[in-house]
Amino acid sequence: MNTEILPADSPHSIARAFEILQAGGLVAMPTDTVYGVGALAFDAQAVERIYEAKNRPNEKAIPILLGDVDDLFSVAASVPEMGLVLAGRFWPGPLTLLLPKHPSLPEGISNLPTVGVRLPDHAVARALLQAAGPMAVTSANLSGLPSTTFAGEVLAQLGGRIPLILDGGRTLGGIPSTVVDCTGADPKILRQGPISRDEILKALGLEV
């Protein structure tokens, strides 16, 4: 497979990426944390291609990125109050919320009853997500290798495995998002990222 690299600011880049996604292909793109590689969230075969391209173990769930908060209820079966509060405070941004999974999502997204959901704060990612709808997106690297922060790193790891990389320059975050489980009575920090535990608790009016 030939891997095409398009400047993200090209007037045809989003249309080209959407074309590939609709055909069941994968696209790598910059986000506000690291580069991600993704497929349309409701395309089961395309989601499986993410695992193949990354050599990713099938038991590892893939998060979903949204272009608009209104898409949240298409991928989550329900959204607890704490999830709504945290989304309102930190989205768009480097916060992934673990929520009850919508039954219409492919099983390949997660073999658990939950799904991670995030609204990234990056113009290129948002433009593609708003055009394509919710996408299953995980870090654009081979499983076990470091996350990628610019297109050249993505090409070095996934070249020949995916059809398109949108080159938006070096990502600013470099650190994967904070992950908060919102399915219990209290928030549970599953991965510490750019947003601290204290910030999460303060947003929810809980004691720090």
Side-chain angles (χ1 to χ4, degrees):
M1 178 190 298
N2 179 55
T3 299
E4 179 182 5
I5 301 180
L6 273 180
D9 58 2
S10 163
H12 307 296
S13 62
I14 298 301
R16 175 61 178 150
F18 185 37
E19 177 185 21
I20 288 172
L21 292 169
Q22 284 189 306
L26 308 183
V27 173
M29 61 181 173
T31 76
D32 50 345
T33 55
V34 297
Y35 268 75
V37 61
L40 296 180
F42 297 98
D43 186 334
Q45 290 184 330
V47 170
E48 290 301 324
R49 291 188 184 104
I50 298 175
Y51 289 97
E52 295 168 7
K54 286 174 52 80
N55 292 334
R56 182 181 176 90
N58 284 82
E59 63 270 15
K60 293 187 71 174
I62 297 178
I64 291 180
L65 295 191
L66 308 177
D68 194 289
V69 71
D70 291 341
D71 292 328
L72 181 57
F73 290 93
S74 70
V75 299
S78 62
V79 183
E81 179 64 25
M82 79 172 79
L84 293 174
V85 171
L86 292 175
R89 170 64 181 83
F90 297 108
W91 281 3
L95 176 68
T96 297
L97 302 178
L98 195 69
L99 301 168
K101 183 176 67 175
H102 197 286
S104 63
L105 286 172
E107 190 172 334
I109 293 278
S110 169
N111 56 15
L112 299 172
T114 54
V115 64
V117 187
R118 187 165 86 85
L119 186 75
D121 187 14
H122 193 284
V124 175
R126 291 285 299 279
L128 181 55
L129 290 160
Q130 287 169 354
M135 290 177 59
V137 180
T138 183
S139 55
N141 60 309
L142 290 173
S143 187
L145 293 185
S147 298
T148 54
T149 57
F150 61 93
E153 289 181 335
V154 180
L155 184 65
Q157 294 194 40
L158 299 181
R161 292 170 173 262
I162 62 174
L164 179 65
I165 300 169
L166 293 181
D167 184 357
R170 187 178 292 273
T171 58
L172 298 177
I175 303 171
S177 64
T178 299
V179 179
V180 180
D181 185 345
C182 296
T183 61
D186 298 305
K188 185 177 180 182
I189 313 297
L190 301 183
R191 181 177 71 195
Q192 182 67 66
I195 298 172
S196 71
R197 175 181 179 274
D198 286 356
E199 288 176 291
I200 296 294
L201 296 179
K202 184 177 179 181
L204 294 171
L206 301 174
E207 187 173 341
V208 174

